[in-house]
Amino acid sequence: FMGAGEFDDIVHLSWTQGTAEYIKKQAYTDVTLNTYKMAHEVCFEEVNALSAWFKAHLHQGLKYDRR
């Protein structure tokens, strides 16, 4: 799970998108990037999405593809 603010002027959205793509290329196939209409902060929508992601993924472990 990755969350990013569309108006973040500290960690630019393009940097987060690039990081997500880099992680995927390193064989971590289950990367989820969620963007929110906010700056460098946390919103309730993001917390709820992160909670749902944890519930769905904690019992599975991380998916790592050893190409």
Side-chain angles (χ1 to χ4, degrees), residues 2 8 11 13 16-17 19 25 35 40 47-48 56-57 61-63:
M2 295 179 71
D8 193 333
V11 180
L13 181 57
T16 306
Q17 292 166 328
T19 301
K25 289 177 183 175
T35 61
H40 190 75
V47 171
N48 288 335
H57 291 83
L62 291 176
K63 295 178 183 170

Side-chain angles (χ1 to χ4, degrees), residues 4-43:
E6 294 176 6
F7 311 114
D8 193 333
D9 60 350
I10 297 173
V11 180
H12 299 275
L13 181 57
S14 63
W15 299 350
T16 306
Q17 292 166 328
T19 301
E21 289 305 313
Y22 176 80
I23 291 170
K24 288 177 185 177
K25 289 177 183 175
Q26 301 308 307
Y28 288 98
T29 58
D30 192 14
V31 176
T32 305
L33 174 58
N34 301 286
T35 61
Y36 303 93
K37 299 206 180 300
M38 62 182 188
H40 190 75
E41 56 195 297
V42 175
C43 65

